[in-house]
Amino acid sequence: MKKDNDKPKGKNRKNNEILKTIVLFILLIACIVGAGTIYYLNNGKDKAEEKELAYTELITSINEGKIEKIEMTTGSNSVKVTLAGEGEEKEREKTLLVPSTQAFMELIQEKVDKDGIKLELNQKPVNPLLKVADSLFSLLPTILLVVLMLMIIKMQGLGGDSGKIYGGEDGRKPEVRFEDIAGLDEEKGELIEIVDFLKKPQAYLDMGAKIPRGILLYGKPGTGKTLIAKAIAGEAGVPFISMSGSEFIEMFAGLGASRVRKLFEKAKKISPCIIFIDEIDAIGSRRTSNSGSETENNQTLNQLLVEMDGFETNETIIVLAATNRPEMLDKALLRPGRFDRQITIPAPDLNGREAILKLHSQNKKFASDVDFKSIAGDTAGFTGAELANVLNESAIIATRNKHDAITNSDIENAVKKITVGLEKTNRVISDKDKRLTAYHEAGHAVVSKFLPTQTDVKEVSIIPRGLAGGYTMYKTNEDKFYVSKTELLEKMVALMGGRAAEKIALNEISTGASNDIEVATGIAKDMLTVYGMDDKLGPISLKVDDPYQLQIFGEKVIDEVGNQIQVLIDTAYRTAQEILSANMNILDAVAMTLLEKEKITSEEFEKFFE
Ligand code: ATP
């Protein structure tokens, strides 16, 4: 399988740009400091060597008739004063610094006239280099401010980065094809006509067909939305411009909208082509009437709507957008002529997972015991990206274990590493904690054995993995579309099995059950507020965007939800305790074996029930 080699190196490019700007900034500072140094060396150094004179001293000297000459130079704030007396003129010279020559002249004019002091105003030719350095130095704060602004704008991307093009200007098209996407056959079937249209638009136009403008791909991250968009472009042999919704989010008002405009201008130049906007919810979420960044977002979204409406019929541009939060999108985006086609990209089913595993196994070495079907069975709910990651991790594990090829156990380890975390065999655990963990995990396993809807135990371990002190893994041998109420209730009982075992066997409860409690409470809450599974409340949905909307249900309903959540959890906890009390001998035996062996396989576990 070709990996996504042509994925934009957007981040690197942005980093390079920032680096370039910083270098430019440093160079500019160096220039300014250089100019300042020249200025100081030519101007300041002389001054430092001369003897300075204070203004009050000058007035006293004038009054006492001790001044022979006052020399001023236009454009300079230093005044040369020659004291009266004998000896070399240079010896008698002093310097006085004044804020402005003009003002100083006016101030002392009267005194000078009276005392007959020689007053000279020179038009000293200024070294042009010095002049530039001087003005550059005085402009320093302004220049710094402008450069800083430019840097921020550049980081924000005003530089006009309006989408990464794959193909088009340089003729390169995405190399991804439909055959690089495993599973998703129906979705591919739906999109094949888009490919055909991009290949020969005229045939469709001649027939009077209206071409879809926008296609929205809904799905969890990693389900292959980007891959599909690229494959459409690859199959049709057209360029692909990709941009992420978050790249339109700008600090300065109007910039997001201008980037949308630029993106479409670029697309029109290289049409026929595909525009792919990932994470469209970043700009396409429902418009609000608020101010600030919201208004900026609204402007960006409005511009996107305008651009999509403004396509000419002969412009063969298809906009594909991806999101995993469809409920967030502004309704206007989904109107006819815009994203009027929506395709859900689901997480792969059993066959899909096997196909993805096989596809991603192509350039790896596997031992003969590897069974992709069974791995697919153990990875229900995994996305394509996660499955690709499993195989990559298993290759790393196999290399570390110095295996000749990737074995089935390397893959199983990779799955556990991804789901529960890395095994921490070296962590020192006290005997008390080990005992607590052993009973906790044995509790989960034993309780679930007595729950008909729960799947069989695959492995129980008290070796810490990730953040967990131990774990009970269950087999996943079925892809389910719907989950029944009984199943949810029993799942809560299995989750409570850990806490119940701690209480019954050790008369103690610990923090180890926190995650189980969180998950169980979540299930109870969803049963009542999302799935409408409560007998008293009935089939109502309390899913609201804003907590204020809950007010329409009245306090009685809200209180009932709170009460029923408690009832569900209490019942689950009690049921778990009852199951364990009736099977104490099995609970003890499983816990003892865990303390001894640290890990129990599914076969070993089943033996306790024979
Ligand atoms: P996101 O929402 O995070 O952008 P996505 O849905 O766009 O994710 P992709 O970037 O297309 O996901 O998929 C990530 C990677 O997962 C792909 O590059 C590919 O390696 C793998 N992958 C996902 N689905 C499939 C599939 N059906 N067949 C083969 N590989 C897949």
mmCIF file of all heavy atoms in Angstrom, residues 48-88:
data_model
loop_
_atom_site.group_PDB
_atom_site.id
_atom_site.type_symbol
_atom_site.label_atom_id
_atom_site.label_comp_id
_atom_site.label_asym_id
_atom_site.label_seq_id
_atom_site.Cartn_x
_atom_site.Cartn_y
_atom_site.Cartn_z
ATOM 1 N N ALA A 48 32.352 62.957 22.919
ATOM 2 C CA ALA A 48 32.823 62.449 24.190
ATOM 3 C C ALA A 48 34.202 62.975 24.535
ATOM 4 O O ALA A 48 34.515 63.198 25.693
ATOM 5 C CB ALA A 48 32.817 60.936 24.151
ATOM 6 N N GLU A 49 35.005 63.152 23.436
ATOM 7 C CA GLU A 49 36.369 63.606 23.687
ATOM 8 C C GLU A 49 36.409 65.081 24.089
ATOM 9 O O GLU A 49 37.290 65.537 24.784
ATOM 10 C CB GLU A 49 37.217 63.401 22.437
ATOM 11 C CG GLU A 49 37.644 61.943 22.302
ATOM 12 C CD GLU A 49 38.259 61.656 20.963
ATOM 13 O OE1 GLU A 49 38.403 62.590 20.158
ATOM 14 O OE2 GLU A 49 38.586 60.479 20.729
ATOM 15 N N GLU A 50 35.418 65.857 23.565
ATOM 16 C CA GLU A 50 35.421 67.284 23.874
ATOM 17 C C GLU A 50 34.926 67.522 25.285
ATOM 18 O O GLU A 50 34.216 66.713 25.849
ATOM 19 C CB GLU A 50 34.510 68.009 22.869
ATOM 20 C CG GLU A 50 35.141 68.068 21.496
ATOM 21 C CD GLU A 50 34.116 68.471 20.458
ATOM 22 O OE1 GLU A 50 33.034 68.946 20.863
ATOM 23 O OE2 GLU A 50 34.395 68.305 19.273
ATOM 24 N N LYS A 51 35.278 68.704 25.792
ATOM 25 C CA LYS A 51 34.822 69.032 27.134
ATOM 26 C C LYS A 51 33.407 69.571 27.035
ATOM 27 O O LYS A 51 33.117 70.398 26.184
ATOM 28 C CB LYS A 51 35.758 70.090 27.732
ATOM 29 C CG LYS A 51 37.150 69.530 28.014
ATOM 30 C CD LYS A 51 38.218 70.588 27.952
ATOM 31 C CE LYS A 51 38.804 70.723 26.551
ATOM 32 N NZ LYS A 51 39.729 71.778 26.337
ATOM 33 N N GLU A 52 32.555 69.117 27.901
ATOM 34 C CA GLU A 52 31.158 69.545 27.831
ATOM 35 C C GLU A 52 30.922 70.769 28.694
ATOM 36 O O GLU A 52 31.618 71.025 29.663
ATOM 37 C CB GLU A 52 30.244 68.402 28.252
ATOM 38 C CG GLU A 52 30.045 67.439 27.110
ATOM 39 C CD GLU A 52 28.974 66.415 27.399
ATOM 40 O OE1 GLU A 52 28.199 66.619 28.345
ATOM 41 O OE2 GLU A 52 28.938 65.407 26.655
ATOM 42 N N LEU A 53 29.916 71.525 28.308
ATOM 43 C CA LEU A 53 29.600 72.760 29.008
ATOM 44 C C LEU A 53 28.118 72.747 29.345
ATOM 45 O O LEU A 53 27.287 72.409 28.513
ATOM 46 C CB LEU A 53 29.896 73.942 28.056
ATOM 47 C CG LEU A 53 29.761 75.335 28.620
ATOM 48 C CD1 LEU A 53 30.910 75.655 29.577
ATOM 49 C CD2 LEU A 53 29.750 76.356 27.484
ATOM 50 N N ALA A 54 27.762 73.121 30.597
ATOM 51 C CA ALA A 54 26.345 73.158 30.955
ATOM 52 C C ALA A 54 25.750 74.502 30.550
ATOM 53 O O ALA A 54 26.473 75.492 30.421
ATOM 54 C CB ALA A 54 26.199 72.957 32.449
ATOM 55 N N TYR A 55 24.427 74.565 30.333
ATOM 56 C CA TYR A 55 23.772 75.776 29.856
ATOM 57 C C TYR A 55 23.952 76.921 30.867
ATOM 58 O O TYR A 55 24.273 78.057 30.484
ATOM 59 C CB TYR A 55 22.282 75.490 29.620
ATOM 60 C CG TYR A 55 21.531 76.691 29.090
ATOM 61 C CD1 TYR A 55 21.777 77.173 27.807
ATOM 62 C CD2 TYR A 55 20.611 77.358 29.892
ATOM 63 C CE1 TYR A 55 21.116 78.288 27.332
ATOM 64 C CE2 TYR A 55 19.948 78.475 29.430
ATOM 65 C CZ TYR A 55 20.194 78.937 28.141
ATOM 66 O OH TYR A 55 19.545 80.036 27.684
ATOM 67 N N THR A 56 23.786 76.603 32.159
ATOM 68 C CA THR A 56 23.939 77.652 33.193
ATOM 69 C C THR A 56 25.361 78.208 33.191
ATOM 70 O O THR A 56 25.586 79.410 33.346
ATOM 71 C CB THR A 56 23.641 77.071 34.583
ATOM 72 O OG1 THR A 56 24.260 75.808 34.676
ATOM 73 C CG2 THR A 56 22.167 76.952 34.862
ATOM 74 N N GLU A 57 26.305 77.280 32.944
ATOM 75 C CA GLU A 57 27.727 77.691 32.876
ATOM 76 C C GLU A 57 27.933 78.675 31.734
ATOM 77 O O GLU A 57 28.652 79.666 31.854
ATOM 78 C CB GLU A 57 28.563 76.438 32.608
ATOM 79 C CG GLU A 57 29.668 76.181 33.620
ATOM 80 C CD GLU A 57 30.449 74.941 33.213
ATOM 81 O OE1 GLU A 57 29.818 73.838 33.174
ATOM 82 O OE2 GLU A 57 31.617 75.067 32.882
ATOM 83 N N LEU A 58 27.248 78.402 30.612
ATOM 84 C CA LEU A 58 27.364 79.245 29.420
ATOM 85 C C LEU A 58 26.863 80.659 29.744
ATOM 86 O O LEU A 58 27.522 81.649 29.416
ATOM 87 C CB LEU A 58 26.545 78.649 28.270
ATOM 88 C CG LEU A 58 26.487 79.508 27.016
ATOM 89 C CD1 LEU A 58 27.760 79.364 26.194
ATOM 90 C CD2 LEU A 58 25.292 79.149 26.144
ATOM 91 N N ILE A 59 25.660 80.715 30.392
ATOM 92 C CA ILE A 59 25.070 82.016 30.709
ATOM 93 C C ILE A 59 26.004 82.801 31.648
ATOM 94 O O ILE A 59 26.291 83.983 31.421
ATOM 95 C CB ILE A 59 23.665 81.834 31.360
ATOM 96 C CG1 ILE A 59 22.718 81.065 30.397
ATOM 97 C CG2 ILE A 59 23.052 83.170 31.775
ATOM 98 C CD1 ILE A 59 22.453 81.756 29.066
ATOM 99 N N THR A 60 26.535 82.081 32.662
ATOM 100 C CA THR A 60 27.475 82.756 33.590
ATOM 101 C C THR A 60 28.680 83.275 32.812
ATOM 102 O O THR A 60 29.103 84.429 32.989
ATOM 103 C CB THR A 60 27.957 81.758 34.668
ATOM 104 O OG1 THR A 60 26.883 80.881 34.990
ATOM 105 C CG2 THR A 60 28.465 82.445 35.917
ATOM 106 N N SER A 61 29.195 82.410 31.927
ATOM 107 C CA SER A 61 30.377 82.813 31.151
ATOM 108 C C SER A 61 30.070 84.009 30.264
ATOM 109 O O SER A 61 30.904 84.916 30.120
ATOM 110 C CB SER A 61 30.863 81.662 30.292
ATOM 111 O OG SER A 61 31.200 80.594 31.105
ATOM 112 N N ILE A 62 28.841 84.027 29.652
ATOM 113 C CA ILE A 62 28.472 85.169 28.788
ATOM 114 C C ILE A 62 28.429 86.441 29.653
ATOM 115 O O ILE A 62 29.002 87.472 29.283
ATOM 116 C CB ILE A 62 27.113 84.936 28.098
ATOM 117 C CG1 ILE A 62 27.234 83.791 27.069
ATOM 118 C CG2 ILE A 62 26.622 86.205 27.407
ATOM 119 C CD1 ILE A 62 25.923 83.390 26.418
ATOM 120 N N ASN A 63 27.750 86.312 30.819
ATOM 121 C CA ASN A 63 27.623 87.473 31.715
ATOM 122 C C ASN A 63 28.988 87.999 32.158
ATOM 123 O O ASN A 63 29.190 89.189 32.302
ATOM 124 C CB ASN A 63 26.800 87.105 32.947
ATOM 125 C CG ASN A 63 25.341 86.915 32.559
ATOM 126 O OD1 ASN A 63 24.906 87.377 31.498
ATOM 127 N ND2 ASN A 63 24.586 86.211 33.397
ATOM 128 N N GLU A 64 29.897 87.052 32.331
ATOM 129 C CA GLU A 64 31.236 87.480 32.789
ATOM 130 C C GLU A 64 32.137 87.879 31.632
ATOM 131 O O GLU A 64 33.304 88.166 31.814
ATOM 132 C CB GLU A 64 31.876 86.330 33.580
ATOM 133 C CG GLU A 64 31.207 86.094 34.920
ATOM 134 C CD GLU A 64 31.722 84.838 35.618
ATOM 135 O OE1 GLU A 64 32.632 84.169 35.080
ATOM 136 O OE2 GLU A 64 31.187 84.519 36.713
ATOM 137 N N GLY A 65 31.569 87.842 30.398
ATOM 138 C CA GLY A 65 32.315 88.258 29.208
ATOM 139 C C GLY A 65 33.423 87.286 28.840
ATOM 140 O O GLY A 65 34.434 87.650 28.268
ATOM 141 N N LYS A 66 33.237 86.037 29.201
ATOM 142 C CA LYS A 66 34.310 85.059 28.942
ATOM 143 C C LYS A 66 34.123 84.309 27.623
ATOM 144 O O LYS A 66 34.846 83.373 27.340
ATOM 145 C CB LYS A 66 34.338 84.033 30.086
ATOM 146 C CG LYS A 66 34.929 84.570 31.351
ATOM 147 C CD LYS A 66 35.005 83.399 32.328
ATOM 148 C CE LYS A 66 35.439 83.861 33.705
ATOM 149 N NZ LYS A 66 35.165 82.812 34.684
ATOM 150 N N ILE A 67 33.089 84.653 26.823
ATOM 151 C CA ILE A 67 32.830 83.913 25.580
ATOM 152 C C ILE A 67 33.297 84.723 24.383
ATOM 153 O O ILE A 67 33.001 85.900 24.254
ATOM 154 C CB ILE A 67 31.331 83.598 25.457
ATOM 155 C CG1 ILE A 67 30.802 82.821 26.667
ATOM 156 C CG2 ILE A 67 31.006 82.836 24.160
ATOM 157 C CD1 ILE A 67 31.360 81.433 26.839
ATOM 158 N N GLU A 68 34.034 84.032 23.515
ATOM 159 C CA GLU A 68 34.537 84.726 22.313
ATOM 160 C C GLU A 68 33.645 84.427 21.119
ATOM 161 O O GLU A 68 33.262 85.288 20.367
ATOM 162 C CB GLU A 68 35.961 84.232 22.037
ATOM 163 C CG GLU A 68 36.642 84.934 20.872
ATOM 164 C CD GLU A 68 38.019 84.331 20.615
ATOM 165 O OE1 GLU A 68 38.870 84.382 21.523
ATOM 166 O OE2 GLU A 68 38.217 83.783 19.508
ATOM 167 N N LYS A 69 33.233 83.149 20.990
ATOM 168 C CA LYS A 69 32.494 82.734 19.784
ATOM 169 C C LYS A 69 31.537 81.585 20.109
ATOM 170 O O LYS A 69 31.854 80.716 20.919
ATOM 171 C CB LYS A 69 33.500 82.255 18.740
ATOM 172 C CG LYS A 69 32.937 82.044 17.361
ATOM 173 C CD LYS A 69 34.031 81.906 16.316
ATOM 174 C CE LYS A 69 34.765 80.591 16.413
ATOM 175 N NZ LYS A 69 35.729 80.353 15.351
ATOM 176 N N ILE A 70 30.359 81.632 19.465
ATOM 177 C CA ILE A 70 29.442 80.486 19.575
ATOM 178 C C ILE A 70 29.162 79.989 18.170
ATOM 179 O O ILE A 70 28.737 80.753 17.310
ATOM 180 C CB ILE A 70 28.133 80.877 20.281
ATOM 181 C CG1 ILE A 70 28.421 81.337 21.726
ATOM 182 C CG2 ILE A 70 27.142 79.706 20.302
ATOM 183 C CD1 ILE A 70 27.212 81.805 22.484
ATOM 184 N N GLU A 71 29.445 78.701 17.937
ATOM 185 C CA GLU A 71 29.280 78.131 16.586
ATOM 186 C C GLU A 71 28.187 77.059 16.596
ATOM 187 O O GLU A 71 28.193 76.171 17.452
ATOM 188 C CB GLU A 71 30.590 77.425 16.198
ATOM 189 C CG GLU A 71 31.306 78.056 15.048
ATOM 190 C CD GLU A 71 32.614 77.296 14.825
ATOM 191 O OE1 GLU A 71 33.509 77.365 15.703
ATOM 192 O OE2 GLU A 71 32.700 76.614 13.807
ATOM 193 N N MET A 72 27.264 77.223 15.671
ATOM 194 C CA MET A 72 26.208 76.202 15.597
ATOM 195 C C MET A 72 26.191 75.593 14.200
ATOM 196 O O MET A 72 26.538 76.255 13.236
ATOM 197 C CB MET A 72 24.849 76.833 15.879
ATOM 198 C CG MET A 72 24.611 77.014 17.351
ATOM 199 S SD MET A 72 23.158 77.976 17.647
ATOM 200 C CE MET A 72 23.809 79.607 17.570
ATOM 201 N N THR A 73 25.784 74.354 14.125
ATOM 202 C CA THR A 73 25.685 73.689 12.814
ATOM 203 C C THR A 73 24.250 73.216 12.627
ATOM 204 O O THR A 73 23.677 72.603 13.541
ATOM 205 C CB THR A 73 26.633 72.474 12.749
ATOM 206 O OG1 THR A 73 27.908 72.898 13.184
ATOM 207 C CG2 THR A 73 26.716 71.906 11.353
ATOM 208 N N THR A 74 23.712 73.543 11.444
ATOM 209 C CA THR A 74 22.321 73.117 11.210
ATOM 210 C C THR A 74 22.231 71.588 11.242
ATOM 211 O O THR A 74 23.142 70.898 10.807
ATOM 212 C CB THR A 74 21.808 73.603 9.843
ATOM 213 O OG1 THR A 74 22.815 73.317 8.897
ATOM 214 C CG2 THR A 74 21.460 75.059 9.856
ATOM 215 N N GLY A 75 21.145 71.123 11.757
ATOM 216 C CA GLY A 75 20.925 69.666 11.799
ATOM 217 C C GLY A 75 21.653 68.986 12.941
ATOM 218 O O GLY A 75 21.582 67.784 13.083
ATOM 219 N N SER A 76 22.385 69.778 13.754
ATOM 220 C CA SER A 76 23.084 69.139 14.875
ATOM 221 C C SER A 76 22.598 69.783 16.174
ATOM 222 O O SER A 76 22.252 70.956 16.200
ATOM 223 C CB SER A 76 24.588 69.339 14.703
ATOM 224 O OG SER A 76 25.229 69.159 15.925
ATOM 225 N N ASN A 77 22.584 69.043 17.220
ATOM 226 C CA ASN A 77 22.142 69.653 18.478
ATOM 227 C C ASN A 77 23.331 69.921 19.396
ATOM 228 O O ASN A 77 23.187 70.057 20.588
ATOM 229 C CB ASN A 77 21.068 68.800 19.172
ATOM 230 C CG ASN A 77 21.540 67.379 19.370
ATOM 231 O OD1 ASN A 77 22.613 67.005 18.899
ATOM 232 N ND2 ASN A 77 20.734 66.595 20.081
ATOM 233 N N SER A 78 24.498 69.940 18.794
ATOM 234 C CA SER A 78 25.676 70.280 19.606
ATOM 235 C C SER A 78 26.204 71.663 19.185
ATOM 236 O O SER A 78 26.343 71.949 17.999
ATOM 237 C CB SER A 78 26.704 69.164 19.445
ATOM 238 O OG SER A 78 27.897 69.653 18.979
ATOM 239 N N VAL A 79 26.466 72.515 20.172
ATOM 240 C CA VAL A 79 26.925 73.901 19.915
ATOM 241 C C VAL A 79 28.376 74.015 20.396
ATOM 242 O O VAL A 79 28.705 73.532 21.483
ATOM 243 C CB VAL A 79 26.025 74.893 20.697
ATOM 244 C CG1 VAL A 79 26.522 76.318 20.546
ATOM 245 C CG2 VAL A 79 24.587 74.753 20.256
ATOM 246 N N LYS A 80 29.205 74.590 19.517
ATOM 247 C CA LYS A 80 30.624 74.724 19.910
ATOM 248 C C LYS A 80 30.820 76.127 20.510
ATOM 249 O O LYS A 80 30.470 77.133 19.887
ATOM 250 C CB LYS A 80 31.492 74.540 18.660
ATOM 251 C CG LYS A 80 32.900 74.070 19.015
ATOM 252 C CD LYS A 80 33.782 74.028 17.803
ATOM 253 C CE LYS A 80 33.645 72.734 17.006
ATOM 254 N NZ LYS A 80 34.439 72.810 15.765
ATOM 255 N N VAL A 81 31.344 76.199 21.714
ATOM 256 C CA VAL A 81 31.547 77.492 22.391
ATOM 257 C C VAL A 81 33.051 77.706 22.577
ATOM 258 O O VAL A 81 33.737 76.834 23.112
ATOM 259 C CB VAL A 81 30.848 77.487 23.773
ATOM 260 C CG1 VAL A 81 31.042 78.826 24.476
ATOM 261 C CG2 VAL A 81 29.384 77.150 23.633
ATOM 262 N N THR A 82 33.552 78.860 22.076
ATOM 263 C CA THR A 82 34.992 79.136 22.255
ATOM 264 C C THR A 82 35.133 80.184 23.364
ATOM 265 O O THR A 82 34.556 81.274 23.279
ATOM 266 C CB THR A 82 35.619 79.662 20.948
ATOM 267 O OG1 THR A 82 35.204 78.783 19.885
ATOM 268 C CG2 THR A 82 37.120 79.727 21.026
ATOM 269 N N LEU A 83 35.855 79.803 24.393
ATOM 270 C CA LEU A 83 36.035 80.727 25.513
ATOM 271 C C LEU A 83 37.078 81.797 25.150
ATOM 272 O O LEU A 83 37.997 81.541 24.371
ATOM 273 C CB LEU A 83 36.496 79.956 26.759
ATOM 274 C CG LEU A 83 35.566 78.847 27.251
ATOM 275 C CD1 LEU A 83 36.184 78.120 28.441
ATOM 276 C CD2 LEU A 83 34.225 79.424 27.665
ATOM 277 N N ALA A 84 36.896 82.965 25.713
ATOM 278 C CA ALA A 84 37.859 84.046 25.463
ATOM 279 C C ALA A 84 39.154 83.715 26.207
ATOM 280 O O ALA A 84 39.135 82.987 27.201
ATOM 281 C CB ALA A 84 37.277 85.360 25.959
ATOM 282 N N GLY A 85 40.248 84.243 25.695
ATOM 283 C CA GLY A 85 41.496 84.012 26.429
ATOM 284 C C GLY A 85 42.663 83.810 25.505
ATOM 285 O O GLY A 85 42.544 83.910 24.281
ATOM 286 N N GLU A 86 43.797 83.488 26.078
ATOM 287 C CA GLU A 86 45.034 83.310 25.322
ATOM 288 C C GLU A 86 45.137 81.865 24.802
ATOM 289 O O GLU A 86 44.339 81.019 25.177
ATOM 290 C CB GLU A 86 46.225 83.545 26.275
ATOM 291 C CG GLU A 86 46.273 84.902 26.966
ATOM 292 C CD GLU A 86 46.746 86.008 26.059
ATOM 293 O OE1 GLU A 86 47.869 85.892 25.556
ATOM 294 O OE2 GLU A 86 45.965 86.976 25.804
ATOM 295 N N GLY A 87 46.077 81.628 23.995
ATOM 296 C CA GLY A 87 46.406 80.248 23.599
ATOM 297 C C GLY A 87 45.616 79.754 22.398
ATOM 298 O O GLY A 87 44.823 80.486 21.799
ATOM 299 N N GLU A 88 45.927 78.535 22.029
ATOM 300 C CA GLU A 88 45.307 77.880 20.856
ATOM 301 C C GLU A 88 43.778 77.904 20.965
ATOM 302 O O GLU A 88 43.219 77.638 22.034
ATOM 303 C CB GLU A 88 45.762 76.417 20.811
ATOM 304 C CG GLU A 88 47.136 76.184 20.229
ATOM 305 C CD GLU A 88 47.142 76.177 18.711
ATOM 306 O OE1 GLU A 88 46.194 75.601 18.122
ATOM 307 O OE2 GLU A 88 48.058 76.782 18.118
#
